[in-house]
């Protein structure tokens, strides 16, 4: 109740103070409404932290505005308040802040301390009255402007400025700012009124020659002769780009002026030479006045403007020397021409470059860099040291701007958006990480196929491109070292170029190439070596390449045999699940289980041929084996080096090796278990064919292993160790895969020979199927004569020559299948089939050997020597006479 009574009393008092009236009814009504609002309000309390932040801001602003006294006073009161504060302190401070009105501007320190001295004692004040009394002069004399003329008199009346000074004194505004504003010199103060009529007449006479005069009929020069000083002055005006009466806007001299001591022809000849300079300078001045939107062109414009200013300074010095003569001077246009020529000659050549740029349509922004480079080279060769230094410095000033996107690309791997001058461009669509190196960035080329870069940079453009891509890959891998990116780079300037060992002797182009190569190598080596080290150490590039060789090139023959034999057994057993990717992958994992990353190996059937009729597919190496695909999942940085095209080449070699092993397997698998088939002449024919086909398979296997795969993989390993950058590694591996395909006779040139080799492999399968067919026919015939006890002598001989079939799991599984798939449906006899196979083999062997020999002799391919060696190996088996 006490709280309610106190709140009611305080509310009534507040209402009476605000209304400033004592009408009871109105006061009671407003008090009750205000009391209800205060009693039932549900607002949160004031945020004390915001209040403290606001007050600290006011104190800080006091100190920024050099009102430290107010800031100290505020801080003292806040410190004192903190000792007696309670929970309502933030609300009170918030109320004071809401009631404040520009405290920084309107608060005075004197108002805070009305009965005490100021915190800082200003000391004794200096007043204007003391200064006037001490000097013994009146206030009017104090503010008079001093007159330094010798004939001045104190009795002269005050001028307007003195009156203004007295008025300002009477106004009482004596602050420093008002005094400075009042006595600051204005343009009107520099106006001089002269009453020297004689001097004015002399000036008018000197300029009278500019006024037009009448010309008599037939008289070419009606105007009187002019002095050489007048013509020289007008010439200097023209050279400085100013209006004059001797030359028109195009730099053509007027023919109405003459001199006493020179003929008109001689004078016009000299003036035309000056006019030619001025006409070419108009091109430079027009360029200097035009702002360029492209930074590369803007720096060129700025360089031209600076060199024009330097020339104008030379002209101004000549004018100063003629105006303020310190010694005897001969005024001569010829002397002016001799003095101006060394300074004007480089600018004339520069004007020719600008005019050439204007005439070229669709010129690139960096085109002027090529022209400046050529101009510097030409000037050095001609021995023009002034022009050489002029164009060399201008070239490097502009080239520094062209280096900015190049430096950003090589240091950070970034491109400025919308930059059309740099020769590297980024694809609009994002690509996968493994395609960053190949497809994310490309070299910008013109419509004619030329690189979008200055000619003197094109030899180094590829290395610059590689460096930036290396940085991008390192950034994506999180391996970019900022310390390496910020390493000091060699200075690339005209001074550094001329001060080098080759600067004074070698051509400018040669010294520039050496300096730029050093600058570029400082960035290229760091990025390339870092990426190469990361690929070798973190990504185990060498190990991955070795694994690819084991899988695709079957360099580990033992492990490869485990996989291929299991695959071939499934085919021969007519297993309907032989093409299942899980079955194939499991077979590969079992074969290569010693590898630490077998989970990366996936074997699949690539196309629909694997799903066809297995009875037909197993009879040809063309049917199902090409559908077997090997996939080895590599980290994306490795896929940069091992491209998709290289994997395709690997797959081609893998398929060929698989087909070769299939043919050998068909002839070797049943050697220990085969029974005698046919007559003795048929057996001789069979074993002769079998040995020849096995010999051919052995030759191919030896050739591929010892002459192709072994040397190439060893060379690749050494080359990768010596590679300087990733692009070299990519090129080396791509060249390796292409040469591997070519030397393995899998290229487009040798496709007929490759198809013929596959025909021989199919003959091996057909030979084995023919033997098995004859064996089945003979077994059936023996079953029909099983009741006959008389065995022919030949049967006993066969039983002693061959080992009976062992009862193995595969054979038992085969018995459960339809063996008709393994039997050839042919009406010809066994002997006829064998003769046909022999004829086909001889024909194919001759074609293979002869074709290899012919292609090797007609081709310039590096693999031709290997083809010739293989042809020589196969020619030993070509029969010289028919059997």
């Amino acid at each position: 109740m006490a709280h309610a009574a106190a709140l009611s009393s305080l509310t009534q008092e507040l209402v009476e103070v605000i209304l400033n009236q004592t009408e009871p009814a109105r006061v009671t009504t407003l008090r009750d409404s205000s009391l209800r609002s205060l009693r039932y309000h549900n607002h949160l309390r004031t945020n004390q932290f915001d209040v403290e932040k606001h007050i600290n801001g006011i104190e800080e602003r006091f100190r920024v505005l050099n009102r430290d006294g107010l800031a100290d006073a505020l801080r003292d009161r806040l410190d004192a308040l903190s000792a007696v504060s309670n929970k309502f302190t933030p609300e009170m401070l918030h109320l004071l802040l809401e009631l404040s009105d520009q405290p920084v501007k309107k608060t005075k320190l004197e108002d805070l301390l009305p009965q005490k001295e100021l915190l800082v004692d200003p000391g004794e004040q200096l007043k204007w009255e003391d200064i006037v009394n001490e000097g013994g002069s009146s206030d009017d004399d104090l503010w008079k402007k001093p007159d330094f003329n010798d004939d001045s008199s104190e009795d002269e009346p005050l001028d307007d400025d003195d009156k203004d000074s007295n008025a300002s004194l009477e106004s009482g505004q004596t602050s420093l700012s008002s005094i400075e504003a009042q006595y600051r010199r204005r343009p009107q103060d520099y106006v001089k009124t002269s009453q020297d009529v004689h001097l004015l007449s002399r000036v008018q006479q000197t300029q009278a020659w500019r006024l037009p005069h009448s010309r008599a009929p037939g008289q070419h020069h009606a105007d009187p002769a002019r002095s050489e000083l007048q013509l020289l002055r007008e010439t200097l005006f023209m050279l400085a780009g100013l209006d004059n009466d001797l030359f028109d806007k195009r730099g053509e001299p007027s023919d109405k002026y003459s001199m006493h001591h020179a003929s008109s022809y001689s004078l016009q000849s000299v003036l035309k030479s000056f006019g030619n300079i001025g006409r070419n300078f108009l091109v430079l001045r027009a360029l200097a006045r035009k702002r360029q939107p492209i930074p590369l062109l803007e720096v060129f414009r700025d360089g031209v403007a600076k060199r024009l200013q330097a020339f104008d300074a030379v002209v101004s010095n000549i004018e100063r020397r003629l105006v303020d003569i310190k010694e005897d001077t001969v005024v001569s246009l010829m002397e002016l021409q001799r003095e101006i020529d060394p300074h004007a000659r480089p600018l004339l050549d520069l004007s020719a470059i600008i005019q050439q740029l204007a005439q070229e349509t669709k010129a690139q922004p960096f085109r002027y860099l090529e022209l400046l480079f050529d101009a510097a080279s030409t000037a050095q060769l001609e021995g023009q040291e002034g022009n050489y230094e002029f164009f060399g410095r201008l070239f490097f000033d502009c080239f520094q701007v062209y280096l900015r996107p190049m430096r950003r690309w090589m240091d950070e791997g970034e491109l400025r958006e919308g930059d059309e001058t740099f020769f590297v461009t980024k694809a609009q669509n994002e690509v996968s990480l493994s395609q960053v190196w190949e497809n994310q960035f490309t070299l910008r080329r013109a419509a004619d196929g030329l690189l979008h870069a200055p000619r003197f940079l094109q030899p180094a453009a590829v290395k610059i491109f590689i460096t930036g891509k290396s940085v991008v890959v390192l950034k994506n891998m999180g391996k970019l070292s900022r310390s390496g990116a910020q390493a000091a780079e060699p200075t690339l300037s005209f001074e550094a170029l001329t001060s080098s060992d080759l600067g004074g002797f070698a051509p400018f182009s040669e010294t520039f190439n050496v300096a730029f190569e050093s600058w570029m190598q400082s960035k290229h080596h760091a990025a390339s070596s870092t990426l190469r080290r990361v690929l070798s150490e973190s990504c185990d590039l060498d190990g991955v390449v070795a694994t690819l060789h084991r899988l695709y090139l079957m360099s580990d023959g033992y492990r490869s045999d485990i996989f291929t034999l299991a695959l071939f057994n499934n085919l021969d057993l007519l297993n309907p699940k032989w093409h299942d990717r899980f079955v194939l992958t499991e077979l590969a994992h079992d074969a290569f289980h010693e590898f630490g990353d077998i989970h990366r190996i996936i074997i699949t059937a690539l196309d629909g041929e694997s799903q066809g009729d297995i009875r037909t597919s197993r009879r040809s190496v063309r049917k199902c084996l090409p559908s077997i695909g090997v996939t080895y999942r590599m980290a994306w940085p490795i896929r940069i080096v091992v491209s998709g095209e290289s994997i395709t080449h690997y797959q081609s070699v893998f398929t060929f090796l698989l087909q070769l092993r299939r043919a050998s397997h068909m002839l070797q698998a049943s050697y220990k278990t085969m029974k005698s088939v046919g007559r003795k002449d048929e057996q001789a024919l069979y074993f002769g064919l079998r040995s020849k086909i096995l010999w051919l398979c052995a030759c191919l296997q030896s050739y591929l292993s010892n002459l192709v795969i072994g040397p190439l993989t060893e060379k690749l390993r050494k080359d990768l160790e010596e590679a300087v950058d990733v692009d070299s590694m990519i090129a080396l591996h791509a060249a390796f895969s292409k040469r591997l395909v070519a030397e393995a006779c899998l290229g487009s040139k040798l496709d007929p020979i490759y198809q013929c080799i596959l025909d021989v492999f199919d003959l091996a399968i057909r030979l084995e199927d023919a033997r098995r067919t004859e064996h089945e026919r003979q077994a059936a015939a023996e079953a029909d004569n099983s009741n006959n006890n008389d065995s022919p002598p030949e049967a006993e001989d066969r039983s002693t020559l061959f080992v009976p079939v062992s009862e193995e799991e595969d054979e038992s599984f085969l018995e459960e299948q339809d063996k008709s798939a393994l039997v050839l449906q042919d009406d010809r006899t066994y002997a006829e089939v064998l003769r046909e196979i022999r004829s086909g083999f001889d024909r194919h062997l001759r074609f293979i050997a002869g074709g290899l020999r012919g292609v090797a002799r007609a081709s310039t391919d590096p693999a031709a020597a290997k083809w010739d060696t293989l042809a020589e190996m196969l020619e030993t088996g070509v029969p010289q006479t028919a059997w």
Side-chain angles (χ1 to χ4, degrees):
M1 295 297 294
H3 174 71
L7 182 61
S8 177
S9 175
L10 292 174
T11 303
Q12 181 172 0
E13 183 180 356
L14 179 62
V15 171
E16 292 176 352
V17 170
I18 294 176
L19 293 178
N20 197 15
Q21 61 181 357
T22 57
E23 184 177 352
R26 181 170 177 76
V27 170
T28 301
T29 303
L30 293 176
R31 182 201 63 188
D32 294 341
S33 63
S34 301
L35 189 60
R36 282 193 301 271
S37 300
L38 293 173
R39 184 176 300 171
Y40 300 109
H41 83 285
N42 54 0
H43 301 288
L44 297 177
R45 293 184 58 189
T46 302
N47 190 338
Q48 56 182 347
F49 301 104
D50 289 342
V51 173
E52 182 180 2
K53 181 179 178 182
H54 196 171
I55 294 176
N56 291 337
I58 295 176
E59 179 187 357
E60 182 180 359
R61 191 165 184 184
F62 279 152
R63 297 191 186 279
V64 170
L65 297 177
N66 200 20
R67 306 193 69 181
D68 293 336
L70 283 174
D72 294 339
L74 178 60
R75 176 47 56 190
D76 292 341
R77 284 158 176 77
L78 291 175
D79 294 341
L81 179 62
S82 62
V84 296
S85 63
N86 52 32
K87 63 179 182 178
F88 298 107
T89 301
E91 279 78 2
M92 293 185 294
L93 293 177
H94 183 261
L95 177 61
L96 295 177
L97 289 174
E98 292 294 331
L99 295 175
S100 63
D101 182 19
Q102 300 181 356
V104 178
K105 202 174 192 182
K106 297 183 178 181
T107 305
K108 298 180 180 179
L109 187 60
E110 294 82 356
D111 297 338
L112 299 179
L113 303 173
Q115 297 179 356
K116 297 182 181 180
E117 296 181 357
L118 295 176
L119 296 179
V120 180
D121 187 7
E124 186 176 356
Q125 300 288 332
L126 181 63
K127 301 179 180 179
W128 287 111
E129 292 80 359
D130 299 336
I131 298 175
V132 172
N133 295 334
E134 183 178 355
S137 58
S138 62
D139 292 347
D140 295 342
D141 296 335
L142 182 64
W143 295 105
K144 284 183 178 180
K145 292 177 61 177
D147 190 359
F148 298 99
N149 295 329
D150 295 337
D151 56 350
S152 61
S153 175
E154 296 180 356
D155 299 334
E156 293 180 359
L158 297 175
D159 56 7
D160 295 339
D161 292 340
D162 295 336
K163 293 179 182 179
D164 294 340
S165 300
N166 291 336
S168 64
L169 178 63
E170 294 174 359
S171 65
Q173 298 179 357
T174 60
S175 65
L176 181 60
S177 59
S178 61
I179 294 173
E180 291 179 353
Q182 183 175 358
Y183 288 96
R184 187 179 296 117
R185 299 296 296 273
R186 296 170 296 176
Q188 294 84 345
D189 298 335
Y190 293 94
V191 177
K192 300 296 183 181
T193 58
S194 175
Q195 301 298 328
D196 193 343
V197 180
H198 178 68
L199 180 61
L200 177 62
S201 176
R202 288 179 57 190
V203 173
Q204 290 176 348
Q205 290 177 4
T206 58
Q207 301 297 323
W209 67 277
R210 300 179 183 275
L211 301 177
H213 297 274
S214 59
R215 181 180 298 177
Q219 184 179 4
H220 187 67
H221 295 288
D223 295 337
R226 306 304 176 191
S227 66
E228 193 163 359
L229 178 61
Q230 292 173 336
L231 299 183
L232 188 145
R233 179 176 56 187
E234 296 299 309
T235 302
L236 291 176
F237 286 169
M238 183 272 298
L239 293 176
L242 304 176
D243 293 337
N244 60 92
D245 295 328
L246 186 58
F247 298 88
D248 58 12
K249 298 294 184 181
R250 297 175 297 176
E252 294 293 337
S254 176
D255 60 350
K256 66 180 181 179
Y257 300 112
S258 62
M259 290 191 305
H260 289 295
H261 59 280
S263 64
S264 299
Y265 178 80
S266 300
L267 177 61
Q268 287 297 315
S269 177
V270 174
L271 293 180
K272 285 183 179 180
S273 64
F274 283 115
N276 180 57
I277 296 176
R279 185 164 49 254
N280 285 278
F281 278 19
L282 290 176
V283 178
L284 300 178
R285 298 186 189 279
L287 176 66
R289 289 192 298 267
K290 185 178 179 181
R291 295 288 179 179
Q292 300 293 335
I294 303 177
L296 189 60
L297 297 177
E298 177 62 20
V299 69
F300 179 57
R301 184 205 66 81
D302 183 68
V304 172
K306 288 181 179 179
R307 283 150 181 81
L308 279 176
Q309 292 176 359
F311 180 81
D312 292 342
V314 173
V315 173
S316 299
N317 289 333
I318 297 175
E319 291 179 337
R320 178 183 56 79
R321 191 172 67 246
L322 294 176
V323 172
D324 186 15
I325 300 177
K326 301 296 184 181
E327 56 185 9
D328 293 341
T329 303
V330 178
V331 179
S332 172
L333 287 173
M334 297 296 294
E335 176 63 20
L336 176 64
Q337 187 178 24
R338 184 195 65 79
E339 186 176 359
I340 286 294
D341 186 71
H343 304 282
R345 180 56 52 191
L347 292 174
L348 292 177
D349 295 340
L350 181 60
S351 177
I353 291 176
I354 297 175
Q355 295 179 44
Q356 180 179 350
L357 288 173
Q359 294 174 359
E360 294 182 0
T361 58
K362 299 181 180 180
Q364 301 297 338
F366 53 78
R367 170 59 177 159
Y368 75 89
L369 287 176
E370 298 178 345
L371 298 178
L372 292 178
F373 186 87
D374 295 341
S377 301
T378 303
Q380 186 197 31
L381 293 176
E382 294 177 353
Q384 301 177 4
E385 295 297 332
N387 284 17
Y388 173 55
E389 182 177 357
F390 178 88
F391 286 107
R393 293 185 182 277
L394 180 58
F395 168 77
F396 276 101
D397 290 345
C398 300
F399 188 64
Q400 292 299 327
V401 176
Y402 190 79
L403 281 179
R404 292 176 184 174
M406 191 182 306
R407 183 182 290 108
R408 183 178 182 183
W409 168 249
M410 300 179 73
D411 287 344
E412 303 176 7
E414 297 179 357
L415 299 174
R416 188 175 60 185
E417 187 176 356
D419 187 4
E420 298 294 336
T421 61
F422 194 42
F423 54 82
V424 179
T425 180
K426 182 179 181 181
Q428 296 182 354
N429 300 326
E430 294 295 333
V431 298
S432 61
L433 291 177
S434 61
Q435 298 295 322
V436 167
W437 188 277
E438 189 70 22
N439 300 324
Q440 184 69 44
F441 302 96
T442 55
L443 290 173
R444 181 182 282 115
R445 298 187 180 275
D448 54 0
L450 295 177
L451 187 64
H452 186 78
R455 290 194 305 270
F456 54 85
L457 286 184
Q458 291 189 3
V462 175
K463 187 174 289 188
I464 296 171
F465 184 53
I466 294 173
T467 304
K469 291 197 296 183
S470 301
V471 174
V472 172
V473 174
L474 287 173
K475 287 177 64 177
N476 290 329
M477 296 176 64
K479 301 292 185 179
L480 181 61
S481 175
R482 292 298 177 182
S483 59
Q486 298 175 358
E489 62 184 35
T491 303
L492 200 61
S493 63
F494 183 76
E495 292 79 5
L497 197 70
T498 54
S499 61
S500 62
D501 297 337
L502 301 176
F505 304 98
F508 174 74
S509 58
E510 185 66 24
T511 54
F512 172 81
N513 291 337
V514 172
F516 185 75
E517 178 68 22
S518 176
W519 178 87
M520 181 180 58
Q521 192 64 25
S522 65
K523 301 177 179 297
H524 173 76
H525 178 72
S528 299
S529 60
T530 302
L531 180 56
R532 183 178 175 276
R533 187 184 69 253
V534 169
L535 289 176
S536 299
E537 297 177 359
S538 300
C539 301
D540 191 19
L541 175 62
D542 298 335
V544 172
V545 173
T547 302
L548 292 176
H549 293 169
R550 293 190 188 98
L551 289 175
Y552 289 97
L553 308 184
M554 300 184 183
S555 59
D556 190 343
Y558 174 70
R559 298 293 169 186
S560 300
D561 282 341
I562 295 176
F563 170 72
T564 56
L565 289 178
L567 174 63
F568 297 154
N569 286 336
N570 282 333
L571 285 174
D572 292 336
L573 297 177
L574 305 180
N575 187 350
K577 298 295 184 181
W578 75 269
H579 55 75
D580 185 82
R581 63 187 182 94
F582 297 106
V583 174
L584 295 174
T585 303
E586 186 65 25
L587 292 177
H589 289 180
D590 292 340
F592 301 100
H593 65 275
E594 291 186 355
F595 296 170
D597 52 356
I598 59 173
H599 62 279
R600 297 178 180 271
I601 302 174
I602 299 176
I603 310 296
T604 57
L606 300 180
D607 53 31
E609 292 182 1
S610 61
Q611 309 293 337
D613 184 9
I614 190 173
R615 297 171 178 82
T616 305
S617 298
R618 63 162 297 279
R619 291 175 179 171
S620 174
V621 295
R622 291 187 177 92
K623 293 294 183 180
C624 55
L625 296 183
S627 66
I628 305 300
V630 179
T631 302
Y632 183 75
R633 293 180 297 180
M634 300 172 289
W636 69 265
I638 301 297
R639 294 205 300 271
I640 294 176
V641 178
V642 183
S643 62
E645 183 181 5
S646 298
I647 294 296
T648 303
H649 293 159
Y650 276 136
Q651 181 65 42
S652 300
V653 177
F654 171 79
T655 301
F656 185 41
L657 292 174
L658 196 62
Q659 291 168 334
L660 176 59
R661 287 175 178 267
R662 173 61 174 167
S664 300
H665 172 77
M666 289 298 297
L667 298 176
Q668 294 175 352
S670 60
Y671 175 72
K672 294 182 180 181
T673 61
M674 67 174 56
K675 290 183 178 181
S676 58
V677 175
R679 301 184 304 272
K680 288 185 178 181
D681 58 338
E682 294 174 344
Q683 294 177 18
L685 185 57
Y686 166 78
F687 283 106
L689 281 172
R690 180 177 178 276
S691 61
K692 283 184 173 292
I693 297 177
L694 284 175
W695 165 81
L696 176 63
C697 294
C699 288
L700 291 175
Q701 184 68 48
S702 177
Y703 169 78
L704 293 174
S705 301
N706 300 326
L707 296 181
V708 178
I709 298 177
L712 288 180
T713 53
E714 181 63 21
K715 185 177 183 300
L716 175 64
R717 184 185 62 81
K718 294 180 179 179
D719 291 342
L720 291 179
E721 292 178 355
E722 299 173 358
V724 295
D725 52 42
V726 175
D727 213 50
S728 300
M729 300 171 72
I730 297 173
L732 288 172
H733 193 270
F736 160 78
S737 62
K738 291 179 181 178
R739 188 168 182 180
L740 181 67
V741 169
E743 293 185 3
C745 306
L746 300 177
S748 58
K749 294 181 180 179
L750 301 181
D751 185 66
I753 297 176
Y754 170 66
Q755 297 299 328
C756 190
I757 293 174
L758 296 184
D759 290 337
V760 175
F761 294 163
D762 287 343
L763 289 179
I765 301 176
R766 186 180 180 188
L767 178 63
E768 179 60 25
D769 288 347
R771 187 199 65 82
R772 187 170 296 175
T773 302
E774 181 64 17
H775 172 70
E776 294 295 332
R777 186 192 64 75
Q778 183 176 330
E782 291 177 356
D784 293 339
N785 300 326
S786 59
N787 295 327
N788 189 359
N789 295 327
D790 295 333
S791 299
E794 296 84 4
E796 295 179 359
D797 295 338
R798 288 195 300 267
S799 63
T800 58
L801 294 176
F802 298 95
V803 179
V805 179
S806 62
E807 297 181 358
E808 298 180 352
E809 180 181 359
D810 291 343
E811 292 295 336
S812 62
F813 179 81
L814 180 60
E815 292 176 358
E816 299 175 2
Q817 307 302 320
D818 184 7
K819 294 185 179 181
S820 62
L822 306 180
V823 178
L824 292 176
Q825 302 298 328
D826 199 337
D827 296 336
R828 291 173 294 181
T829 64
Y830 181 48
E832 292 175 348
V833 173
L834 293 178
R835 293 190 191 96
E836 181 183 0
I837 294 175
R838 184 188 65 180
S839 175
F841 176 81
D842 292 342
R843 183 176 64 256
H844 293 325
L845 185 59
R846 290 191 186 92
F847 178 80
I848 294 171
L852 286 172
R853 182 76 74 180
V855 174
R857 292 176 178 178
S859 176
T860 58
D861 194 288
K866 300 287 184 68
W867 300 338
D868 191 70
T869 302
L870 179 60
E872 186 176 354
M873 295 170 60
L874 298 179
E875 282 178 349
T876 59
V878 177
Q880 302 299 326
T881 58
W883 288 8

